[in-house]
């Protein structure tokens, strides 16, 4: 029996029809591995990220330089959670840690010295030094106030004073024997000793003697004799004064020796308690400098420190009598409370928070100053020996952070300086000794940022040698489903949610397939799944249900969409009232319903668009109106060019392709991109050329190649649902549906209401592999008859062009 074209078309449509059971992958309770959730176990396992976990494992355990980690992937795929879990596992392992301590540099005060102690000893050393200083302030005055010291000092002073008095007595005796006397002459605010002759028992100055000579009361010879004697005695007096000063110096030295003799044992005894407890490089030299400083400045310990701290406008003012600053200890990194490696997740990676700074204060003269006790360490130093986690975008957006981070990781040491010093190239008044570092940095960012840094920053690839890429999906198999079950159980336990029954868990698994966009995949966007679970728990409690069932999960999903679908509703309203013209019944020449996906933030939805084609005699070829209006993206432009290739391959093998054909997305004002409408445009052009109408109750999506094969597209579920909503609003009549590429059948995860409509044969989904199959479904005629009419029309166009001489 010969088949008619109508019979062939019916057979094609029937063959292309997707059965309802293929429109949605279904999770049944037997796939869960448990009959009730009480049998499931909570698990901290990382689900579906084997590649990323292996990369993280390598980066975290690799000790060589440069093996820092850049974590990529979409937010919500568990990047931060996975990192925290893996780091917490490592934190349980005992590792050698150190404390970092800055102390005063007695030789070069502007260069504080770094001392490194085993973890826990830094703060202990600080306390012991504070105790040492307190004891010293008590011990030294006590020594000076002791009877033994007072007696020795008194005896020593009396000895030298007696010596001075003896020298003076001998000299004064000699002076008197010569007829002179030592007198004190006032000169301004000071007095000085002079030798004056005794005349009539009274000391007389030379000017008075000259008066006597002028008056004839004394001969000039006598005056000369007295003057010579005076000069001789004054020379002897200079020798005596030098002897007196020598005695004073000997007295001071003896007193100093006494002080050393009584103080050194006290200082050594107190320092000895500290010296014997630590074996830190540079500590003994530092303690020796402290001892020398104390002995050179013993008098400082006699003074009282009774001035209170003051401030100006709330800013602390340094006390000028803070006499013991150099004996203090600044612990910038204290790991006494840690057993394993430090883990720092820096959520605010400003320069100061990451690299530390040197604070300043105002002294009593209103001048800004600083010292080594104001050095503050940042997260990089605190994470030494461990791990530092930073958000890449935050690090790149903060001034000075990225450049300094690269320098620190490359040199494996840090010199703490305030931000202004680093930015403008000027060094701080203080230059603390650099700190050697062994820190593993983990940056979290997007794939695009990683590619940009890798391409344009030569240092980046040297210091971030490990990339851990988190996937958004994983295979839909028993292992992954088991992971979902454990995830649901864990969420119920940690967030104290109502227990899910198997139907609710199945709905969560199906939603994971929906998010993945492919029946053979499950989504790893567990943050989204967790939100759905929390909201499903809310709706279950709202219904006073003891268990969270599938209806509650569907309710949560619907409500999430409802909160974000305002734009979709506005477009639907315009379609309903005819503002946006969409036909869902009848047939029209050169007109077909295409399907587009709209995105508004986190929400995506599909809606139909009318695509029309008009053809005529001419040589303009395919006119892409969207492109001519600068509203077409590169992917759409490419699709139109491929469309032209298909037409030439099909119809221009024995004749030129001579036509003018304009294609337009009607009522499109926001731009068009993507090639998913290229097959739709082919149908519109062929309908216009053949003058065979296309069914308006069928929407079409799918790209075409030059061979006429239909290629898969994205967003297939959203597109089908968008056209279904339009048809449902007008009333389903059983002739409506969507035609998709056959290769997209595996991606179908349609809403439950669409599957139910398909089961009732109120709405259909066809899957095609070629343009010919699509033509038969849309026109109700055989593809060969359509092509014949198109070919005939194009031949007429060729003749008309020749006749017109174009």
């Amino acid at each position: 029996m010969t088949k008619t074209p109508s019979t062939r078309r019916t057979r094609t449509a029937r063959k292309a029809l997707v059965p309802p059971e293929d429109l949605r992958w279904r999770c049944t309770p037997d796939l869960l591995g448990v009959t009730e959730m009480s049998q499931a176990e909570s698990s901290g396992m990382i689900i579906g990220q084997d590649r990323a976990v292996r990369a993280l494992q390598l980066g975290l355990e690799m000790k060589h330089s440069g093996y820092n980690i850049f974590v990529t992937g979409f937010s919500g795929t568990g990047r931060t959670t996975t990192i925290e879990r893996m780091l917490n596992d490592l934190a349980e392992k005992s590792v050698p840690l150190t404390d970092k301590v800055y102390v005063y540099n007695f030789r070069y005060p502007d260069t504080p010295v770094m001392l490194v102690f085993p973890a826990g000893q830094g703060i202990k050393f600080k306390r012991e030094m504070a105790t040492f200083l307190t004891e010293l302030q008590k011990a030294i005055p006590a020594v000076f106030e002791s009877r033994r010291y007072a007696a020795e000092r008194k005896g020593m002073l009396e000895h030298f004073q007696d010596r001075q008095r003896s020298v003076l007595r001998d000299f004064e005796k000699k002076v008197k024997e010569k007829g002179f006397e030592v007198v004190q002459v006032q000169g301004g605010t000071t007095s000085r000793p002079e030798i004056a002759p005794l005349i009539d028992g009274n000391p007389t100055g030379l000017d008075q003697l000259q008066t006597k000579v002028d008056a004839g009361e004394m001969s000039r010879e006598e005056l000369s004799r007295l003057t010579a004697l005076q000069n001789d005695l004054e020379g002897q007096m200079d020798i005596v004064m030098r002897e007196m000063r020598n005695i004073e110096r000997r007295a001071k030295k003896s007193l100093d020796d006494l002080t050393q003799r009584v103080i050194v044992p006290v200082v050594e005894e107190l320092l000895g308690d500290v010296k014997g407890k630590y074996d830190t490089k540079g500590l003994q030299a530092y303690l020796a400098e402290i001892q020398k400083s104390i002995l050179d400045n013993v008098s400082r310990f006699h003074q009282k420190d009774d001035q209170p701290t003051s401030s100006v406008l709330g800013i602390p003012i340094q006390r000028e009598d803070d006499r013991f600053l150099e004996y203090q200890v600044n612990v910038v990194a204290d790991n006494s409370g840690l057993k394993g490696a430090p883990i720092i997740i820096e959520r605010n990676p400003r320069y100061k928070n990451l690299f530390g700074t040197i604070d300043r204060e105002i002294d009593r003269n209103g001048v800004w100053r600083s010292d080594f006790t104001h050095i503050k360490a940042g997260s990089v130093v605190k994470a030494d020996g461990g791990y530092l986690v930073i958000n890449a975008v935050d690090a790149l957006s903060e001034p000075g952070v990225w450049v300094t981070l690269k320098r620190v990781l490359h040199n494996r040491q840090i010199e703490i300086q305030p931000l202004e010093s680093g930015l403008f190239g000027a060094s701080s008044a203080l230059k603390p000794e650099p700190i050697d570092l062994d820190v593993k940095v983990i940056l979290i960012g997007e794939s695009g940022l990683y590619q940009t840094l890798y391409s344009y920053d030569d240092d980046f690839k040297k210091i971030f040698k490990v990339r851990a890429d988190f996937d958004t999906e994983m295979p839909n198999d028993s292992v992954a489903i088991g992971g979902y079950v454990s995830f649901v159980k864990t969420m119920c336990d940690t967030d104290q949610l109502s227990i899910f029954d198997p139907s609710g868990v199945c709905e969560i698994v199906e939603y994971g397939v929906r998010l993945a966009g492919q029946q053979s995949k499950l989504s790893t966007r567990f943050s989204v799944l967790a939100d759905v679970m929390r909201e499903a728990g809310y709706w279950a409690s709202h219904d006073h249900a003891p268990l969270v069932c599938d209806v509650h999960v569907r309710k949560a999903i619907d409500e999430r969409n409802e909160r974000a679908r305002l734009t979709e509703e506005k477009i639907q309203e315009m379609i309903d009232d005819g503002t946006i013209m969409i036909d869902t019944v009848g047939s029209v020449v050169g007109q077909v319903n295409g399907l587009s996906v709209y995105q508004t933030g986190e929400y995506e939805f599909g809606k139909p668009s009318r695509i029309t084609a008009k053809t005529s005699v001419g040589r303009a070829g395919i006119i892409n109106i969207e492109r001519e209006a600068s509203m077409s993206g590169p992917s759409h432009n490419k699709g139109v060019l491929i469309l032209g290739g298909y037409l030439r391959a099909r119809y221009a093998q024995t004749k030129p392709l001579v036509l003018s054909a304009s294609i337009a997305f009607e009522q499109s004002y926001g731009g068009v991109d993507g090639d998913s409408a290229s097959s739709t445009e082919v149908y519109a052009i062929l309908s216009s050329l053949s003058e065979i109408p296309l069914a308006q109750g069928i929407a079409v999506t799918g790209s075409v190649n030059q061979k006429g094969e239909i290629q898969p597209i994205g967003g297939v579920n959203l597109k089908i649902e968008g056209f279904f909503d339009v048809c449902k609003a007008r009333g389903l009549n059983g002739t409506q549906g969507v035609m998709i590429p056959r290769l997209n059948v595996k991606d179908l995860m349609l809403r439950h209401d669409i599957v139910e409509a398909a089961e009732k044969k109120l709405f259909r989904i066809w899957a095609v592999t070629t343009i010919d199959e699509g033509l038969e479904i849309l026109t109700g005629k055989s593809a060969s008859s359509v092509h014949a009419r198109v070919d005939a029309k194009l031949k007429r166009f060729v003749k008309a062009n020749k006749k017109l001489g174009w």
Side-chain angles (χ1 to χ4, degrees):
M1 180 180 70
T2 305
K3 294 183 175 65
T4 63
S6 177
T7 304
R8 285 196 295 270
R9 190 272 303 170
T10 302
R11 194 176 97 174
T12 300
R14 187 167 54 248
K15 181 181 178 182
L17 190 65
V18 181
E21 59 268 20
D22 291 344
L23 299 181
R24 181 182 179 90
W25 179 85
R26 298 178 186 274
C27 179
T28 56
D30 59 288
L31 295 176
L32 301 180
V34 294
T35 56
E36 57 183 32
M37 286 304 291
S38 60
Q39 300 172 347
E41 295 183 359
S42 296
S43 173
M45 63 179 291
I46 300 163
I47 305 171
Q49 301 292 353
D50 293 343
R51 178 188 294 103
V53 168
R54 289 196 302 271
L56 281 170
Q57 198 75 36
L58 170 70
L60 294 176
E61 296 180 356
M62 183 68 73
K63 300 302 181 183
H64 298 288
S65 176
Y67 280 85
N68 298 289
I69 307 167
F70 195 104
V71 179
T72 59
F74 288 102
S75 177
T77 55
R79 298 175 303 179
T80 304
T81 302
T82 300
I83 292 168
E84 289 179 354
R85 288 180 181 176
M86 296 185 69
L87 290 179
N88 287 333
D89 291 341
L90 291 173
E92 296 178 357
K93 299 179 180 179
S94 179
V95 295
L97 297 176
T98 60
D99 294 341
K100 279 76 176 176
V101 171
Y102 273 112
V103 294
Y104 186 74
N105 189 332
F106 290 92
R107 296 189 178 185
Y108 307 102
D110 289 342
T111 309
V113 175
M114 165 58 54
L115 299 178
V116 180
F117 292 84
Q121 291 190 8
I123 195 70
K124 181 180 177 183
F125 174 69
K126 179 177 181 177
R127 294 194 190 104
E128 292 196 350
M129 287 303 297
T131 302
F132 162 75
L133 184 59
T134 301
E135 294 296 326
L136 200 65
Q137 289 178 272
K138 296 177 181 178
I140 292 179
V143 168
F144 287 140
E145 294 169 4
S146 66
R147 291 184 177 181
R148 177 183 174 185
Y149 175 80
E152 287 192 40
R153 186 175 186 276
K154 180 179 179 182
M156 192 174 293
L157 288 175
E158 287 177 352
H159 168 73
F160 286 104
Q161 288 172 354
D162 289 345
R163 177 61 182 156
Q164 285 182 323
R165 283 194 290 268
S166 174
V167 171
L168 284 175
R169 280 197 303 270
D170 291 343
F171 180 67
E172 288 177 350
K173 181 179 179 181
K174 184 185 293 186
V175 169
K176 285 185 178 181
E177 288 176 352
K178 299 290 185 179
F180 287 80
E181 186 175 341
V182 179
V183 297
Q184 295 291 330
V185 179
Q186 192 72 25
T189 60
T190 62
S191 61
R192 66 182 188 279
E194 285 189 1
I195 295 176
L198 291 173
I199 304 299
D200 300 328
N202 297 316
T204 306
L206 292 178
D207 54 342
Q208 295 176 320
L209 295 179
Q210 182 65 45
T211 302
K212 288 182 176 293
V213 171
D214 294 340
E217 298 175 0
M218 179 181 290
S219 66
R220 291 188 177 275
E221 290 76 7
E222 181 64 15
L223 176 60
S224 299
R225 185 183 70 82
L226 292 174
T227 301
L229 283 173
Q230 183 185 38
N231 290 337
D232 180 62
L233 291 172
E234 285 182 348
Q236 294 181 34
M237 185 177 68
D238 289 341
I239 295 173
V240 169
M241 295 307 296
R242 284 198 296 271
E243 178 64 19
M244 294 289 288
R245 287 192 292 271
N246 287 335
I247 294 172
E248 288 181 357
R249 282 194 289 269
R250 289 196 295 272
K252 183 177 182 307
K253 184 177 183 307
S254 297
L255 289 174
D256 289 343
D257 291 342
L258 173 63
T259 300
Q260 294 284 318
R261 190 168 65 256
V262 297
I263 295 300
V264 166
V266 175
V267 177
E268 288 183 344
E269 179 182 357
L270 293 175
L271 277 181
D273 294 338
V274 180
K275 289 180 179 180
K277 295 180 180 180
Y278 304 96
D279 185 22
T280 295
K281 180 181 178 181
L283 178 62
Q284 300 304 319
Y286 169 67
L287 295 178
E289 291 288 347
I290 283 185
Q291 179 171 327
K292 182 177 182 300
S293 173
I294 292 171
L295 297 177
D296 289 345
N297 301 276
V298 172
S299 60
R300 296 168 62 189
F301 291 87
H302 288 286
Q303 303 175 25
K304 299 294 183 182
D305 185 12
D306 55 0
Q307 288 184 310
T309 302
S310 58
S311 64
V312 174
L313 299 177
I315 302 173
I317 296 179
Q318 187 232 1
R319 298 177 313 200
E320 290 182 352
D321 62 336
D322 190 2
R323 302 183 303 277
F324 307 114
L325 176 70
E326 61 267 42
Y327 308 129
Q328 296 181 19
V329 174
N330 181 13
V331 181
V332 295
D334 174 23
N335 289 316
S336 57
L338 292 177
K339 295 182 179 179
I343 299 171
I344 306 294
I345 300 177
E346 183 53 73
R347 305 187 188 280
N348 184 19
R350 300 173 60 189
Y351 187 97
K352 178 179 179 179
N353 293 344
L354 274 179
F355 308 112
T357 189
I358 303 176
D359 290 337
R360 296 181 298 175
E361 64 182 6
I362 300 176
D363 64 18
R364 300 185 68 85
N365 296 320
V367 178
W368 285 102
R369 65 173 298 280
S370 187
D371 57 65
F372 75 98
T373 63
H374 293 95
I375 300 173
K376 310 294 182 184
S379 298
V380 170
V381 173
K382 294 176 182 178
D384 183 35
Y387 309 92
L388 175 63
V389 183
I390 313 171
N391 182 280
V393 174
D394 293 341
L396 287 165
S397 60
E398 289 290 340
V401 167
W402 180 243
V403 173
T404 307
L405 180 63
K406 290 193 299 180
R407 184 185 304 124
V408 167
L409 293 179
H410 183 268
N411 297 330
R412 305 190 74 175
Q413 67 172 206
I414 182 174
E415 179 181 317
I416 298 177
Q417 286 289 342
L419 175 60
E420 57 267 23
S421 298
L423 284 181
F424 301 109
S427 60
S428 171
L430 293 179
K431 283 186 65 66
E433 187 177 348
I435 303 173
D436 293 331
L437 294 175
D438 180 20
V439 60
K440 185 80 65 175
V441 173
I442 304 166
L443 284 183
I444 302 177
E446 302 296 338
S447 298
L449 179 59
Y450 176 87
Q451 296 295 343
T452 300
L453 291 172
Y454 194 89
S455 300
Y456 296 102
D457 192 330
D458 291 336
D459 295 328
F460 174 76
K461 62 190 69 174
K462 298 176 183 177
I463 57 179
F464 286 94
K465 296 182 178 181
V466 178
R467 177 183 181 182
D469 199 4
F470 278 70
D471 201 351
T472 57
E473 58 189 33
M474 59 183 173
N476 182 3
D477 53 25
S478 59
V479 175
I481 294 175
Y484 262 58
V485 173
S486 295
F487 170 73
V488 172
K489 176 65 173 175
T490 302
M491 282 295 301
C492 291
D493 292 343
T494 56
D495 283 30
Q496 298 180 342
L497 302 178
S498 299
I499 299 175
F500 277 62
D501 77 351
S503 69
V505 180
C506 287
E507 197 67 32
I508 290 292
V509 175
E510 291 182 19
Y511 187 60
V513 174
R514 165 80 178 204
L515 289 176
Q518 195 172 343
Q519 293 183 3
S520 61
K521 300 289 185 181
L522 276 171
S523 175
T524 58
R525 297 171 62 190
F526 289 103
S527 64
V528 177
L529 296 171
D531 290 340
V532 171
M533 287 183 59
R534 296 184 185 101
E535 294 174 28
Y538 166 80
W539 291 113
S541 62
H542 189 268
D543 293 342
H544 304 289
L547 299 175
V548 181
C549 304
D550 54 354
V551 293
H552 301 122
V553 177
R554 295 179 192 178
K555 176 71 172 177
I557 295 170
D558 292 341
E559 288 294 328
R560 285 172 62 85
N561 292 336
E562 184 66 26
R563 295 195 296 268
R565 65 186 300 267
L566 178 61
T567 303
E568 180 184 9
E569 285 186 352
K570 296 299 182 183
I571 294 176
Q572 183 64 48
E573 288 175 3
M574 289 189 285
I575 293 175
D576 292 343
D577 64 22
T579 303
I580 296 178
M581 294 182 289
I582 298 292
D583 292 331
T584 57
V585 294
S587 299
V588 179
V589 173
Q591 178 178 303
V592 66
N593 288 321
L595 295 168
S596 302
V597 174
Y598 298 80
Q599 185 171 13
T600 58
E602 79 286 0
Y603 184 67
E604 294 180 318
F605 62 92
K607 279 292 179 276
S609 300
R610 175 182 287 180
I611 298 175
T612 60
K614 293 296 181 181
T615 56
S616 65
V617 176
R619 289 183 172 275
I622 308 299
I623 303 171
N624 180 1
I625 291 179
E626 312 302 323
R627 180 187 178 193
E628 298 301 319
S630 300
M631 298 175 64
S632 176
S635 297
H636 182 254
N637 293 337
K638 179 181 178 181
V640 174
L641 295 174
I642 291 174
L643 181 159
Y646 165 75
L647 295 177
R648 285 189 294 273
R650 183 83 196 194
Y651 303 110
Q653 298 303 302
T654 59
K655 62 182 181 302
L657 185 63
V658 180
L659 84 161
S660 293
S662 60
I663 305 171
F665 278 69
E666 305 294 349
Q667 295 181 286
S668 172
Y669 308 107
V672 176
D673 201 6
D675 64 349
S676 64
S678 58
S679 67
T680 314
E681 293 165 336
V682 170
Y683 297 135
I685 291 175
L686 296 183
S687 172
S688 177
L689 289 170
S690 66
E691 300 179 11
I692 298 175
L694 303 175
Q696 298 301 292
I698 301 176
V700 180
T701 185
S703 67
V704 67
N705 61 27
Q706 294 187 109
K707 297 164 63 177
E709 297 170 331
I710 305 301
Q711 302 172 138
I713 45 80
V716 63
N717 292 301
L718 298 173
K719 292 176 179 179
I720 294 172
E721 291 166 357
F723 189 65
F724 174 82
D725 290 339
V726 172
C727 295
K728 183 179 179 181
R730 296 181 176 182
L732 299 173
N733 58 23
T735 64
Q736 298 147 332
V738 176
M739 193 166 66
I740 66 172
R742 178 154 299 276
L743 292 174
N744 278 122
V745 172
K746 61 181 174 55
D747 303 329
L748 293 177
M749 198 65 189
L750 296 173
R751 296 194 319 240
H752 291 281
D753 57 341
I754 299 179
V755 176
E756 292 171 2
E759 291 173 343
K760 297 176 181 179
K761 299 183 179 180
L762 296 176
F763 195 79
R764 292 179 170 84
I765 308 297
W766 294 275
V768 298
T769 57
T770 64
I771 288 290
D772 288 356
E773 292 178 15
L775 280 174
E776 294 185 356
I777 294 172
L778 286 169
T779 64
K781 299 182 181 298
S782 68
S784 59
S785 64
V786 176
H787 290 310
R789 294 185 66 170
V790 171
D791 192 61
K793 176 66 76 68
L794 291 174
K795 288 178 180 179
R796 291 198 297 273
F797 282 178
V798 172
K799 292 179 180 179
N801 273 274
K802 289 181 178 180
K803 184 177 180 180
L804 294 171
W806 289 357

